[in-house]
Amino acid sequence: MKIETIFPGDFDKLHENESVLFQLDRDTGIAIILINRPSQLNALNKAVICGISEVLDIINNERKIKCILISGSGERAFVAGADIKEFKDFNRADAFNLSKFGKEKLFNKITNFSKPIIAVISGYALGGGLELALACHLRVATDSSKLGLPECSLGLIPGYNGTQNLTKIVGSNIALEMILTSKIISSDKAHSFGIINYCVKKDKLLSEALNLATLCANISPESAAAAIKSVNSTYLNNGEEIESEEFSKLFDTKNFNEGISAFLEKRKPNFT
Ligand code: COA
């Protein structure tokens, strides 16, 4: 995949307002989704949430796509939060519906997606933007990115699974510090907390993300789906049972036979 091709003119266009752009590369098995509201620092409004959701539905049906990158347009922000302008006049019921809609339409869909999704962060990942990254399976950021959940400073709390996902990733000690203080932290700090997997120079961001995506795209797709489901079940009462079920289901797949045969024949597996 050529990094140079990542600009709006090259993307398949889904929406007239171009709030979300995407590119599928069936040769590498990697798709890129680009949130395209740079003038608003890619703030998540309804159109963006629906746009990403629709692209994920398309990707779900594209058997050749094995891994997805999500990024923001421009260098200033991955996503600077949920669109504050959209919910400034909301009442309690509106707010509940916004949170529920966002989770159902996008955040839970990403977390439970059967193909690995990697957040590629340049610039601000704040509020709903960090929550979007936390919903993804892996995160790569530039060394100049800034991350935080500053909702408490607005008289709110995170409402797109931020309290849940950040706690699962880093534990309640760091999650509560970040949420209660509304601190915006450097990507170095985020890396030391374990919030992001890799912290790289700006010019290495996409290549690092593509390296990671290539590794994820090269495993058996059934293994990827089973691994995501099992890891996501960690905090369920029957997590261990789900892992055993997912593990055993894989023995019925052609890719299991291929993986074992390839090992015994001392060659690389060719998963389909
Ligand atoms: N919702 C809606 N609009 C947003 C936004 C958000 N979360 N974040 C940024 N924008 C908009 C700004 O309103 C501005 O729009 P305008 O030009 O129409 O006025 C535009 O994006 C550029 O942002 P600006 O604030 O001028 O850039 P900056 O470099 O001075 O500051 C930030 C950048 C990220 C520090 C600042 O925009 C900010 O604090 N954003 C909100 C972060 C936040 O609290 N997120 C959690 C929301 S729940």
Side-chain angles (χ1 to χ4, degrees):
M1 183 180 292
K2 287 198 183 72
I3 295 165
E4 293 79 18
T5 62
I6 298 168
F7 58 89
D10 271 8
F11 280 80
D12 297 334
K13 290 188 179 125
L14 190 68
H15 290 281
E16 274 182 18
N17 65 10
E18 299 180 7
S19 55
V20 176
L21 309 164
F22 67 102
Q23 186 174 58
L24 308 180
D25 188 325
R26 293 176 185 81
D27 294 334
T28 61
I30 299 168
I32 299 182
I33 301 176
L34 193 73
I35 298 163
N36 191 39
R37 291 186 81 205
S39 71
Q40 298 299 299
L41 304 187
N42 301 317
L44 290 181
N45 61 5
K46 203 169 182 182
V48 170
I49 288 174
C50 292
I52 304 172
S53 181
E54 283 174 38
V55 175
L56 288 174
D57 290 343
I58 292 168
I59 291 171
N60 201 27
N61 293 324
E62 284 280 344
R63 295 194 57 220
K64 286 196 166 176
I65 298 299
K66 308 271 181 51
C67 185
I68 300 112
L69 305 182
I70 296 187
S71 196
S73 179
E75 287 180 359
R76 289 180 68 202
F78 169 69
V79 171
D83 191 325
I84 298 169
K85 290 161 191 162
E86 215 176 46
F87 62 67
K88 66 179 171 44
D89 298 322
F90 275 13
N91 61 24
R92 182 176 176 164
D94 297 330
F96 186 81
N97 290 334
L98 178 86
S99 171
K100 192 163 177 279
F101 175 82
K103 288 178 189 187
E104 284 171 5
K105 196 82 186 163
L106 184 61
F107 290 81
N108 292 345
K109 186 184 274 190
I110 289 178
T111 300
N112 297 321
F113 209 65
S114 61
K115 310 178 190 203
I117 303 183
I118 303 172
V120 184
I121 302 167
S122 177
Y124 292 110
L126 301 177
L130 182 54
E131 291 181 286
L132 180 66
L134 294 171
C136 294
H137 305 118
L138 298 169
R139 287 153 288 282
V140 183
T142 66
D143 56 6
S144 53
S145 298
K146 303 270 180 221
L147 297 85
L149 292 178
E151 286 90 343
C152 287
S153 69
L154 298 168
L156 295 170
I157 62 165
Y160 286 141
N161 290 338
T163 63
Q164 311 298 294
N165 287 337
L166 184 60
T167 307
K168 285 177 192 161
I169 293 169
V170 300
S172 62
N173 188 33
I174 290 168
L176 276 172
E177 179 184 340
M178 286 190 61
I179 295 167
L180 291 175
T181 63
S182 285
K183 259 184 198 171
I184 293 176
I185 62 172
S186 68
S187 39
D188 256 358
K189 190 86 180 158
H191 188 232
S192 73
F193 283 164
I195 296 173
I196 55 175
N197 298 79
Y198 293 95
C199 174
V200 297
K201 297 255 173 267
K202 203 186 282 183
D203 60 345
K204 294 276 184 300
L205 179 65
L206 208 47
S207 57
E208 187 66 38
L210 285 169
N211 285 340
L212 204 54
T214 305
L215 293 173
C216 294
N218 284 344
I219 64 169
S220 141
E222 291 94 348
S223 291
I228 291 168
K229 187 168 176 190
S230 299
V231 171
N232 284 351
S233 305
T234 301
Y235 294 96
L236 303 180
N237 286 337
N238 61 343
E240 292 180 4
E241 204 179 300
I242 289 173
E243 183 195 65
S244 296
E245 273 168 26
E246 292 301 312
F247 171 74
S248 54
K249 264 167 37 185
L250 295 172
F251 284 68
D252 281 341
T253 64
K254 281 187 185 159
N255 281 329
F256 162 70
N257 291 328
E258 170 58 13
I260 298 298
S261 304
F263 174 76
L264 296 174
E265 291 160 20
K266 300 189 188 305
R267 61 174 175 80
K268 283 197 169 168
N270 182 19
F271 293 124
T272 50

